[in-house]
Amino acid sequence: MKKQLYEHMKGDLLDQMYAHSQTAHKKFSSEHQSNAVAMSLALHNAVEEQGQGGSSSPSRGAMAKKDAEEMQRAIDACTKMVSRITDGEEVHKLVMRTFQELWFAPAQTVAPPGEEQPDAQLPAAELAARAKQLVAVVSKSGGANGRAALRELLEKVMTPPAEATKDKSHKEHEATLDVCAQLVGQLVEDLLTLDESGALNAESPAEERATAREALSNSLLALSLFCQARPQLLLPHMELLPAYLQHDGHAPAVFHVCDILASLLEIADHPPKALLERLETLLGALIFRVPEGLLRGAIAALCATVAKSHNHQLLHEALARLFQMMTRARDPAQVGISRPLSHKPTVSQAHGCVNAHLVAFVTTCARDTFQMSRC
């Protein structure tokens, strides 16, 4: 079967990379075999060597440049592999197995005879390298299709075995979930480090601030994909997220944070009161500042917050004000006219709005809130 598969995929980057995976592992000592960056570079180098019939060693002066180029090639190779996840069952299996070894393999530990294998933390440098490469691949995947492929990859990785018994497959699944939790923790730590660096501040040089904002949005996008696949992983970090709503000048960050918050609040049993009050303040102001493209996400996050805080009056008043601002945006005759938001707006009301569908969404949220407040 493997021979037929390789013949079918002859010449393709994916099968060449996987065909050399065993060789790649042998290039490293035991303490580095699971290193994400080393693994990906070795896989890609094996492909390059096969295609070029071998390569000569670079000079010392070119080593830094070569390392950077190899790192970029590894990221490009991973991006191409992600795009192949829907190419059929056998290709899917190859992609999943490769990324399982590359990003989600647990730390190698040795348990005493007769004892179960303990859960172990990945070495700090290795965990940081895996998270960095994952974020780079996320940023290069681009577009809805690339994000959908990454989300499917994460969902498949974290899908429990068909029979949840205490056998080897179940233990492997638990180990994978533990690694995913470590990766999420590292992504959050990277966000905190970026925030503490001061590069996001308005006083920072424009170029430095632009780079920091890109890193911020890429890390939040990676966290958003983890949240879509398994939101429970981000629950321990939910109280850190509101801080990034203050970067309302950077639309991608706000978009991802609102998306994450809406999912987390839905499954949170008893969110802290202080967190809910802070979200009410931030989101209640945010819906009047963000551009139209972000408004739906911000309203959804505010609705999810009120669903837990039960402060229906705040939401109803905010949406009523927003609705009136939107309906008079291009129809000054509507100024000073208030209508109950428990009813859908008429065609004449929506005609002068920036986006009639968005107005309908706002009105639906207000109507639902009105109904909840009367229960």
Side-chain angles (χ1 to χ4, degrees):
M1 175 62 73
K2 183 177 288 187
K3 182 178 180 181
Q4 293 175 351
L5 176 61
Y6 284 134
E7 290 176 351
H8 176 70
M9 299 174 63
K10 186 177 181 181
D12 186 86
L13 176 63
L14 175 64
D15 67 301
Q16 293 181 46
M17 290 181 70
Y18 191 78
H20 289 277
S21 61
Q22 298 302 318
T23 303
H25 274 296
K26 294 178 182 178
K27 290 185 177 182
F28 299 93
S29 58
S30 59
E31 65 270 22
H32 293 101
Q33 283 183 351
S34 60
N35 183 278
V37 173
M39 175 73 171
S40 60
L41 291 180
L43 289 171
H44 197 280
N45 288 341
V47 177
E48 292 294 309
E49 290 171 6
Q50 182 182 16
Q52 298 174 7
S55 59
S56 59
S57 299
S59 63
R60 285 183 176 273
M63 284 298 294
K65 181 179 179 180
K66 177 177 172 58
D67 289 345
E69 291 174 349
E70 287 182 336
M71 179 73 72
Q72 188 58 52
R73 286 200 301 269
I75 293 170
D76 292 340
C78 290
T79 304
K80 292 177 181 178
M81 281 195 292
V82 170
S83 68
R84 298 294 306 275
I85 196 171
T86 59
D87 280 8
E89 183 178 356
E90 295 301 327
V91 177
H92 172 83
K93 289 180 179 178
L94 283 176
V95 173
M96 293 300 301
R97 184 173 175 184
T98 301
F99 279 104
Q100 178 67 44
E101 296 175 356
L102 189 63
W103 289 345
F104 308 109
Q108 299 297 320
T109 57
V110 179
E115 296 184 11
E116 293 186 0
Q117 186 80 359
D119 293 334
Q121 292 288 319
L122 291 166
E126 181 176 345
L127 181 59
R130 292 191 191 190
K132 182 178 180 180
Q133 189 182 69
L134 189 152
V135 170
V137 173
V138 167
S139 67
K140 285 186 66 66
S141 295
N145 292 336
R147 294 178 185 180
L150 282 164
R151 183 174 63 251
E152 181 176 351
L153 169 66
L154 292 174
E155 288 174 348
K156 293 289 185 181
V157 164
M158 290 184 273
T159 299
E163 296 182 1
T165 56
K166 292 185 178 181
D167 56 8
K168 181 179 179 180
S169 62
H170 181 66
K171 292 180 180 179
E172 290 175 349
H173 173 67
E174 292 297 323
T176 298
L177 289 182
D178 181 65
V179 172
C180 289
Q182 292 181 53
L183 285 170
V184 167
Q186 181 63 45
L187 292 173
V188 172
E189 183 65 29
D190 291 344
L191 285 178
L192 295 174
T193 301
L194 180 63
D195 205 19
E196 292 170 357
S197 70
L200 292 167
N201 297 337
E203 297 79 12
S204 300
E207 185 176 351
E208 180 182 350
R209 187 167 64 253
T211 301
R213 284 184 168 185
E214 183 179 4
L216 173 68
S217 60
N218 289 336
S219 295
L220 287 171
L221 173 55
L223 286 172
S224 177
L225 293 173
F226 271 106
C227 185
Q228 293 172 37
R230 193 176 180 86
Q232 294 86 346
L233 291 176
L234 275 80
L235 273 177
H237 311 287
M238 183 168 60
E239 294 186 56
L240 298 175
L241 294 173
Y244 300 100
L245 291 174
Q246 300 177 50
H247 296 289
D248 54 294
H250 187 47
V254 174
F255 177 85
H256 298 317
V257 172
C258 289
D259 185 48
I260 294 171
L261 284 171
S263 299
L264 296 185
L265 287 167
E266 184 177 353
I267 65 172
D269 290 332
H270 301 288
K273 182 179 179 181
L275 171 65
L276 295 176
E277 291 176 348
R278 188 180 185 195
L279 288 176
E280 287 178 349
T281 300
L282 291 172
L283 293 168
L286 198 63
I287 62 175
F288 298 102
R289 297 203 307 264
V290 295
E292 185 178 332
L294 297 179
L295 190 54
R296 186 182 294 265
I299 292 174
L302 180 58
C303 290
T305 301
V306 171
K308 296 296 183 178
S309 69
H310 305 294
N311 191 357
H312 303 126
Q313 184 65 26
L314 177 145
L315 179 61
H316 187 70
E317 291 176 354
L319 295 182
R321 179 185 167 198
L322 181 63
F323 175 78
Q324 291 171 6
M325 290 175 61
M326 294 178 67
T327 53
R328 71 190 183 209
R330 292 176 60 185
D331 188 0
Q334 297 293 326
V335 176
I337 300 176
S338 61
R339 293 181 174 86
L341 292 187
S342 55
H343 303 285
K344 189 175 181 179
T346 64
V347 176
S348 61
Q349 283 178 285
H351 179 71
C353 298
V354 178
N355 186 324
H357 294 291
L358 186 57
V359 173
F361 173 73
V362 172
T363 308
T364 299
C365 292
R367 183 179 63 242
D368 292 345
T369 305
F370 179 75
Q371 292 173 349
M372 284 190 298
S373 64
R374 298 186 62 180
C375 294

